[in-house]
Amino acid sequence: KCLRVRKMLYGLHGSGKARHSLFKSWMLSIGFRVSEADECVFIRGELRVCLYVDDCMYTGPDAELARFKQQIDKRFKVRHLDGTEYLGLEIQRNKKEGWIRISQKKYIEKILKRFGFSDCKPKATPMAQGKPLPRLEGKCEDSELKSLYRPMVGSLMFLSTSSRPDV
């Protein structure tokens, strides 16, 4: 027997696309336009709304934000976060001095713990400068080391492309 699902369910294959289509049509109906640079960014006056799957972040003048919050509360069940974390990025703002700082400290601590480096001490250069790496003869037979290498490099690559290009 099969059941046909008549509405989107969280976690199903097409639910993200269906949710985005629903949100996009609603946003267009209340006067937003889609950004030319990114289909997930909606613009109305000075208000900017970014939607990624089920995470939504918005910024703009206080009066417009209050109006938008009322509109979205009428249509969707949402939690309004204070904008200090979005998609794993930790965001710090200083309006007085005009700066924004983005970090992924929790993610870094998580990957250090996952790969057994949480007790390591930081160094500017983790290896002596000018010292050549020893040549590895033959194949690496340590299966545990081989199974950790790819996820370790992948974790560092993600970190380097999202918030830490110095990695």
Side-chain angles (χ1 to χ4, degrees):
K1 291 188 176 187
C2 286
L3 296 176
R4 182 174 178 190
V5 179
R6 293 189 177 178
K7 63 180 184 177
M8 63 185 159
L9 294 175
Y10 189 83
L12 289 181
H13 181 69
S15 63
K17 185 177 187 323
R19 189 180 312 106
H20 180 77
S21 296
L22 174 69
F23 189 77
K24 180 180 178 181
S25 64
W26 178 75
M27 291 292 281
L28 294 173
S29 75
I30 62 167
F32 280 86
R33 66 179 175 83
V34 179
S35 167
E36 293 176 15
D38 191 336
E39 197 172 313
C40 295
V41 176
F42 300 90
I43 301 166
R44 182 176 71 191
E46 292 183 50
L47 185 62
R48 305 291 186 266
V49 178
C50 179
L51 176 74
Y52 183 79
V53 185
D54 60 352
D55 287 340
C56 184
M57 181 179 240
Y58 36 84
T59 184
D62 292 338
E64 282 192 64
L65 283 175
R67 187 172 141 219
F68 175 69
K69 285 179 185 180
Q70 288 176 343
Q71 288 177 313
I72 199 168
D73 285 339
K74 287 179 185 174
R75 179 63 177 94
F76 299 100
K77 183 180 177 184
V78 295
R79 288 183 312 146
H80 297 286
L81 304 175
D82 60 359
T84 58
E85 191 170 330
Y86 184 67
L87 301 175
L89 296 171
E90 296 151 35
I91 304 166
Q92 295 175 322
R93 299 174 189 190
N94 187 321
K95 288 184 179 181
K96 190 183 280 186
E97 295 179 23
W99 56 260
I100 297 175
R101 180 177 298 139
I102 297 173
S103 73
Q104 287 184 289
K105 185 177 179 180
K106 289 179 188 174
Y107 178 72
I108 292 169
E109 290 170 352
K110 180 180 170 184
I111 61 174
L112 286 173
K113 185 177 180 181
R114 177 180 174 194
F115 298 113
F117 290 102
S118 55
D119 294 330
C120 293
K121 305 290 182 247
K123 285 191 160 250
T125 306
M127 186 175 153
Q129 292 181 346
K131 185 176 178 183
L133 290 171
R135 178 173 233 106
L136 183 62
E137 300 297 330
K139 293 184 177 181
C140 179
E141 298 300 326
D142 188 351
S143 62
E144 185 179 341
L145 182 62
K146 285 168 61 173
S147 67
L148 283 177
Y149 180 75
R150 284 187 179 141
M152 190 182 300
V153 170
S155 298
L156 292 173
M157 291 298 294
F158 173 75
L159 188 60
S160 72
T161 57
S162 53
S163 68
R164 290 297 302 262
D166 59 328
V167 170

